[in-house]
Amino acid sequence: MPKTIYLDNAATTMMSREVLDAMMPYLTEKYGNPSSIHSFGAESNAACEDARKKIAKFINAKDNEIYFTSGGSESDNWAIKSVAYMKKDKGKHIITSGIEHHAVMETCEFLARDGFEITSVGVDENGIIKLDELRKAIRPDTILITVMYANNEIGTIQPIREIGEIARSSGIIFHTDAVQAFGHIPIDVEKDNIDLLSASAHKVHGPKGVGLLYIRNTIKLTPLIHGGPHERKRRAGTLNVPGIVGFGKATELARESMKDASKITEKRNYLIDRILKEIPYSRLNGDRDRRLPGNANISFMYIEGESMLMLVDMKGIAASTGSACASGSLDPSHVLLAIGLPHETAHGSLRMTLSEHTTKEELDYTVETLKGVVDRLRSMSPLYEDAMKENKEV
Ligand SMILES: *Cc1c(COP(=O)(O)O)cnc(C)c1O
């Protein structure tokens, strides 16, 4: 295998050539400011509006419900902080889940330090939110429910429609971080009862540094970024024209490639099945079926995920332990702990996320490499040695 095998598509994706081609004019000769009245500006403005239309249609929203941002993190911050400060006279209670992305989790923690009360609803052993617990968590002063659409580490897809219904019937605003879902599984903000939704271009073969917040028209969300009258006075700053155009193109391409999502699912299942069958003491994390097409997250007992990651990297495979944002820290993933894994097992986890470009040959090479790496690490592991001794005695 000559080139690197990229199995870290949940961290970011390769930008499509078609996306670059669509962006190129707006990085070069078409440099007008979309706010300007002259024809240069009008051209840029038209390109942004075209992207907005495509993206809105894709999630069954109206054009004027799409607000462009700098990415998923900004969208999450905007949604949660603005609802909190808008509604603080009604109440200061926010409900979230125990497996959110850091952009949501840290924002909630920030608000908690500012007098808001956060209830984190538990998930089952597969990472599906406990709906009964969610219903019970609702109080008269609850102002927001924020639960992610699909998890970035274990790929679990939440019962978003039901969560939306619960929020709607209690008159509570519902935000979902759909960064991992957008462009990978169908989203319908109407059917799903979603009020606010975050998405990001670079997770769907678009450029980095551009995202969106969907804001239902009935919600007059206050700005996070104050300044000029851009984005209907809700998000100041000259529009990232090339980024927005690229996001539009990436969405258009995702609409097509999603029709072939089952091919990615098949490859992912092939990878999971081979690993579980051929590598002893391995387990799949997350729901087998209610899971993003490209996500495989597996724990290998008696090894350290970080060591595994480095060894497979030396063999040309790019994977991840938990989330990229968490790597570099020695704490095990909060998501893996939330689904009940003991610390040691959580530490030995590897996330491999596929794209439509991933081939079966690459997966075969990956499985063979993993077998070698796992064997090697276990042969050096006192934990493994002890466990084997105990097993023999049984
Ligand atoms: C990547 C990611 C984010 C952050 O998006 P950026 O555009 O990188 O800021 C937020 N939430 C989830 C679930 C993600 O996977």
Side-chain angles (χ1 to χ4, degrees):
M1 281 280 149
K3 66 172 180 28
T4 303
I5 297 173
Y6 187 73
L7 293 178
D8 204 12
N9 285 281
T12 196
T13 57
M14 178 175 74
M15 197 170 83
S16 306
R17 181 74 220 186
E18 292 99 310
V19 170
L20 178 65
D21 290 343
M23 290 169 71
M24 202 48 121
Y26 300 93
L27 289 160
T28 52
E29 72 266 23
K30 300 187 182 194
Y31 51 81
N33 186 325
S35 304
S36 303
I37 303 299
H38 48 63
S39 59
F40 267 87
E43 191 174 41
S44 295
N45 184 55
C48 292
E49 292 317 303
D50 181 54
R52 197 187 305 278
K53 241 191 206 76
K54 279 181 200 151
I55 293 169
K57 192 159 172 250
F58 184 60
I59 58 171
N60 195 22
K62 296 177 194 76
D63 299 356
N64 63 5
E65 292 176 319
I66 302 296
Y67 295 81
F68 290 114
T69 66
S70 67
S73 300
E74 182 189 325
S75 300
D76 287 341
N77 270 266
W78 183 10
I80 297 167
K81 287 176 186 165
S82 288
V83 170
Y85 290 116
M86 271 167 69
K87 297 279 180 187
K88 66 177 191 305
D89 293 332
K90 182 196 166 205
K92 297 184 100 178
H93 181 235
I94 294 170
I95 298 174
T96 186
S97 85
I99 60 165
E100 295 298 311
H101 187 271
H102 287 268
V104 167
M105 213 166 64
E106 299 286 327
T107 303
C108 287
E109 281 168 20
F110 166 79
L111 289 172
R113 291 192 293 274
D114 199 20
F116 287 85
E117 210 182 315
I118 314 292
T119 299
S120 182
V121 174
V123 295
D124 68 13
E125 70 280 7
N126 289 329
I128 308 267
I129 192 162
K130 292 177 177 158
L131 290 176
D132 281 345
E133 212 178 285
L134 172 68
R135 284 191 196 91
K136 282 189 201 129
I138 292 174
R139 316 189 314 209
D141 61 341
T142 306
I143 50 172
L144 175 70
I145 294 176
T146 175
V147 174
M148 71 199 318
Y149 208 113
N151 184 267
N152 47 301
E153 293 189 40
I154 56 173
T156 303
I157 300 168
Q158 297 299 339
I160 286 299
R161 199 161 295 178
E162 286 86 339
I163 300 171
E165 264 166 28
I166 292 169
R168 178 91 26 108
S169 65
S170 311
I172 298 165
I173 295 176
F174 175 42
H175 166 252
T176 187
D177 174 338
V179 173
Q180 290 290 332
F182 183 95
H184 298 281
I185 53 173
I187 295 175
D188 184 321
V189 291
E190 289 304 326
K191 284 197 187 132
D192 292 346
N193 307 303
I194 295 164
D195 296 316
L196 303 164
L197 173 145
S198 308
S200 180
H202 77 97
K203 304 285 174 84
V204 279
H205 303 290
K208 292 169 180 59
V210 59
L212 67 85
L213 184 64
Y214 157 80
I215 307 177
R216 182 172 289 282
N217 267 339
T218 49
I219 298 170
K220 304 290 169 231
L221 202 69
T222 49
L224 179 70
I225 313 275
H226 292 90
H230 316 86
E231 296 295 84
R232 296 174 299 286
K233 298 189 184 159
R234 301 273 190 95
R235 200 279 186 182
T238 302
L239 270 68
N240 173 1
V241 181
I244 291 167
V245 169
F247 196 2
K249 187 69 191 179
T251 302
E252 195 182 310
L253 296 170
R255 179 192 284 276
E256 285 311 305
S257 65
M258 264 170 52
K259 293 177 186 157
D260 281 334
S262 63
K263 286 190 190 150
I264 303 180
T265 304
E266 267 167 42
K267 281 184 254 184
R268 173 258 278 166
N269 284 343
Y270 173 78
L271 175 68
I272 293 173
D273 291 340
R274 273 203 67 185
I275 292 176
L276 296 186
K277 205 162 112 227
E278 298 175 35
I279 304 181
Y281 309 106
S282 57
R283 58 155 277 160
L284 177 69
N285 296 316
D287 196 280
R288 179 82 207 209
D289 303 308
R290 300 182 62 159
R291 143 180 236 117
L292 288 169
N295 178 290
N297 185 313
I298 294 177
S299 292
F300 300 91
M301 301 283 290
Y302 318 115
I303 16 191
E304 257 283 316
E306 301 294 322
S307 327
M308 199 170 17
L309 199 63
M310 284 187 324
L311 291 179
V312 299
D313 182 38
M314 282 161 60
K315 301 277 185 186
I317 301 168
S320 155
T321 54
S323 64
C325 331
S327 61
S329 89
L330 282 176
D331 291 335
S333 141
H334 67 285
V335 175
L336 297 177
L337 296 182
I339 61 172
L341 291 196
H343 275 241
E344 315 84 75
T345 314
H347 265 306
S349 303
L350 197 66
R351 178 185 75 179
M352 291 160 283
T353 41
L354 290 59
S355 81
E356 54 267 47
H357 305 301
T358 311
T359 64
K360 186 165 166 293
E361 289 68 36
E362 291 180 329
L363 297 178
D364 285 331
Y365 174 83
T366 301
V367 175
E368 294 308 325
T369 306
L370 276 175
K371 281 156 88 173
V373 164
V374 168
D375 269 353
R376 185 167 154 208
L377 289 171
R378 281 185 181 158
S379 72
M380 303 185 297
S381 156
L383 276 175
Y384 183 67
E385 204 179 310
D386 289 350
M388 291 309 104
K389 266 187 214 144
E390 276 170 33
N391 273 355
K392 264 180 208 147
E393 283 159 19
V394 171

